[in-house]
Amino acid sequence: MKKALGQILVTFTLLASSAHCLAGGGSDMAPAPRYEHQLHTISMREAESLIGKEGVYFYDVNTLELWAEGFIPGAIYFNVKDWKKLLPANKDALMVFYCANRLCNASEVAAHHTMKMGYTNVRQMPDGIYGWRLSNRVTERP
């Protein structure tokens, strides 16, 4: 009986102390963005088979620090102000966007913005550079 009462007391204490905690950044809740285009993903195996092929572009949407630690061979650093200049003239070119991992959405946002501009062959690699490295795939450094 004492043990059950102690557990109940601990539970109420934890609940009361967590009432002041905020999840996320503490800003007002807002609906998640809705995109007009369906995002197409690509696996690391598929992406790896495209490295070095003509007309295929890889875009790294990570921070500069993460980029410096290594990136997919041939990838273009995308996290710049004038990113539109980095896109190919051919709107049907195959483009693969990636960021850190499945918790990062920077590559999704970049892919959606690119599709909004009329590019038709855009892919996003959810596993990102961390998944790439964890699977012992080859990387380059600047």
Side-chain angles (χ1 to χ4, degrees), residues 1-39:
M1 179 73 173
K2 275 186 169 182
K3 187 174 182 180
L5 187 58
Q7 288 177 340
I8 292 171
L9 184 59
V10 167
T11 302
F12 281 124
T13 304
L14 289 173
L15 286 173
S17 66
S18 67
H20 291 77
C21 295
L22 296 174
S27 60
D28 292 335
M29 290 188 61
R34 301 202 83 192
Y35 297 104
E36 59 189 74
H37 301 97
Q38 176 67 35
L39 185 63

Side-chain angles (χ1 to χ4, degrees), residues 49-135:
S49 72
L50 296 171
I51 292 175
K53 293 206 173 173
E54 180 109 15
V56 178
Y57 301 87
F58 282 83
Y59 293 102
D60 187 306
V61 194
N62 286 303
T63 63
L64 195 55
E65 293 82 9
L66 196 52
W67 162 264
E69 292 174 10
F71 51 90
I72 293 175
I76 300 164
Y77 182 66
F78 194 77
N79 205 356
V80 295
K81 284 185 182 181
D82 56 349
W83 59 268
K84 291 179 183 177
K85 293 179 182 177
L86 302 173
L87 301 176
N90 177 6
K91 295 214 174 191
D92 294 324
L94 178 56
M95 296 185 289
V96 179
F97 289 85
Y98 68 91
C99 50
N101 55 30
R102 290 182 177 268
L103 298 176
C104 177
N105 72 338
S107 60
E108 291 177 31
V109 172
H112 279 295
H113 281 297
T114 305
M115 287 188 289
K116 197 173 186 178
M117 294 173 60
Y119 287 88
T120 59
N121 206 359
V122 177
R123 302 289 181 269
Q124 188 262 343
M125 190 179 75
D127 292 311
I129 196 64
Y130 285 134
W132 191 268
R133 289 183 197 152
L134 286 171
S135 63

